[in-house]
Amino acid sequence: MIEVENLTKHYGPRRAINNLSFQIAQGEVVGFLGPNGAGKSTTLNILSCILPASSGTARIMGHDTFEHSLEIRKKIGYLPETPPLYQDMNVRDYLKFAAQVRGVSGKQITSAVERVIGKCSLADVSHRIIGRLSKGYQQRVGLAQAMVHDPDILILDEPTVGLDPIQIIEIRKLIQELAASHTIILSSHILPEITQICQRVIIINEGEIAAVDSLEGLTASLRKSERLSLTLRNSGDQVEEKLKSLQQVLSVLPEENNRFLLECELNSNLQDEIARLALDNKWGLVEIKPLSMTLEDIFLKLTIEEKDVTV
Amino acid sequence: MRNAWVIAKRDLGSFFNSPIFYVVTTVFLVIYSFIFFQILNFFSFQSLQAGQAQAMGMSLNLNEMVIEPSLQNMSVILLLIIPIITMRSFADEKKMKTFRLLLSSPIHLKEIILGKFLACMGVVTLMILISSYSVGFLFLLGEPEVGPIVTGYLGVILMAGCFVSAGIFASSLTDNQIIASVLTFGFSLFMWIIGWGAQAAGPVTGQILQYLSIVDHLDHFLKGLVETSDLVYYLSFMLFSLFLCHRVLDSNRWR
């Protein structure tokens, strides 16, 4: 449904994105993950036909986003990072205007507006001035604006930024509901959000794609080893060497307060042997704890320390 | 075209919802009315004198002595006031990030610009029409000629159209409304006084400067003359400004 090939965008001398290529199939919910300034918004702007790319192509449903942008714009709903709300209009009038400019035909405007008011739970505030609504409601109006013309694709740029936790949960729920019937691309620099909503993640860093995979795939591909944390009361010189002498231990990294980070082969279950070693040598075992790799680690690893995989 | 109207309608709604429109219209009407009644007062004083000296009576004319100077003064007030009306057009959309709604919608940039232009023209035309109560007043007192009044108002509206189009262009250059209004005022005033350079310049350049002057073309309309060259001047002024606006907004996307 969406095909992006070698997409590059320069702002003057600054390169915002470089050679991005990815595909998104119909019905997928894809998350763009990356630190601030990674090029997420730029990519989404190009997909929503607001910016032309410097080179490369982005095609949506077979149409080029630049050549046939009017065709595509009918089929996408876009929520920028700052929702494009006219502060002096009331919610219903605003959504009516959005429906008109987004190409909903005259007779269907009222029903389209009612539909999104219902979907985004805006009925209580539909006669209020947008500028006086809370940030959470404004964000919902922003979402409503993006889907008023019932687009096939929703492009949401940081839909939960600046909201309080309850509002975040509400917006997420709403997006999850929409996921059933739409292709959704959303960007975020918040990991849990992506893990909860998206089926696939595109991690983008400094304008380049660091990884494209499903969440399980990402976790699996990066878990080439298991990590254990070992804490001891006493410590001797030979702790490191004795630990290293165990088969399946790949590396030992001493840390502060007699704490050691062990990297072992997958599924090696070394806890027993390490415990025995500690007892035999009277190290004074305090704790052995497996460290799982969170998405947070994956994110950091991919975006910051990609080359240095042995953390 | 339908889209342009949708945008114009929203902008008009926004004008009528905000105090700016009411303040600007009030200021405009108060100043215009003051000037109008000063002129009328002077006229009645003159006609009183003319009544005593019969020979002067021939040159007294409501069109020439009241309506023409009133409209000339009105065009000066418009020069001062239109930048305030046009400054929001694009600057505000950009500042409030609402422009992205329009840019990601299936509408042409042309339609957006036309919509903005129509909205501002609607407001300005409304102001001018309200001020025409003064002419109605004259029909109670005397019998002014209708022709020059109609062409006079047409000329003022066309001239206002030039200011508006310049204002829309200025507004597309920046996201700061103050900068947009200062640019509009500066540019409009410059086009107003450009004819003054004609005397100092050579015959050919002088004629060109004279033709470029925005106010010289108004005189014909006020006298009741609708000349093609004046119409061409005003219409091409507007088209050119809106064209520049289109270029600016289009090129913004490439930077």
Side-chain angles (χ1 to χ4, degrees), chain B residues 222-243:
Chain B
L222 295 182
K223 295 251 185 297
L225 293 169
V226 180
E227 292 204 21
T228 320
S229 72
D230 300 329
L231 280 175
V232 167
Y233 173 84
Y234 281 142
L235 293 178
S236 44
F237 190 111
M238 286 180 236
L239 276 178
F240 187 62
S241 301
L242 297 181
F243 167 76

Side-chain angles (χ1 to χ4, degrees), chain A residues 7-66:
Chain A
L7 205 63
T8 302
K9 174 74 188 175
H10 296 270
Y11 292 116
R14 201 173 71 81
R15 195 174 58 197
I17 54 172
N18 184 26
N19 250 339
L20 294 191
S21 299
F22 57 87
Q23 264 124 41
I24 295 171
Q26 182 154 16
E28 260 191 309
V29 179
V30 175
F32 261 97
L33 191 58
N36 293 323
K40 302 183 298 267
S41 292
T42 303
T43 312
L44 297 186
N45 271 329
I46 293 173
L47 287 179
S48 41
C49 311
I50 288 181
L51 290 175
S54 304
S55 68
T57 54
R59 298 169 73 78
I60 293 180
M61 299 166 123
H63 297 292
D64 189 280
T65 53
F66 183 64

Side-chain angles (χ1 to χ4, degrees), chain A residues 11 49-52 66 70 73 81 84-89 97 100-102 145, chain B residues 2 6 10 14 93 96-98 100-108 253-255:
Chain A
Y11 292 116
C49 311
I50 288 181
L51 290 175
F66 183 64
L70 283 189
R73 286 188 237 174
E81 64 269 49
L85 306 174
Y86 292 100
Q87 303 287 328
D88 56 349
M89 291 177 93
F97 172 71
Q100 286 172 325
V101 293
R102 291 219 190 264
Q145 153 289 124
Chain B
R2 186 188 79 100
V6 167
R10 198 214 71 81
S14 162
E93 295 261 2
M96 302 306 293
K97 315 266 182 201
T98 46
R100 287 190 174 176
L101 167 62
L102 304 181
L103 286 180
S104 68
S105 297
I107 44 180
H108 291 282
R253 306 165 68 197
W254 290 95
R255 267 183 280 149

Side-chain angles (χ1 to χ4, degrees), chain B residues 154-172:
Chain B
L154 176 69
V156 170
I157 289 172
L158 282 171
M159 183 186 208
C162 294
F163 296 151
V164 167
S165 63
I168 302 257
F169 167 52
S171 187
S172 74

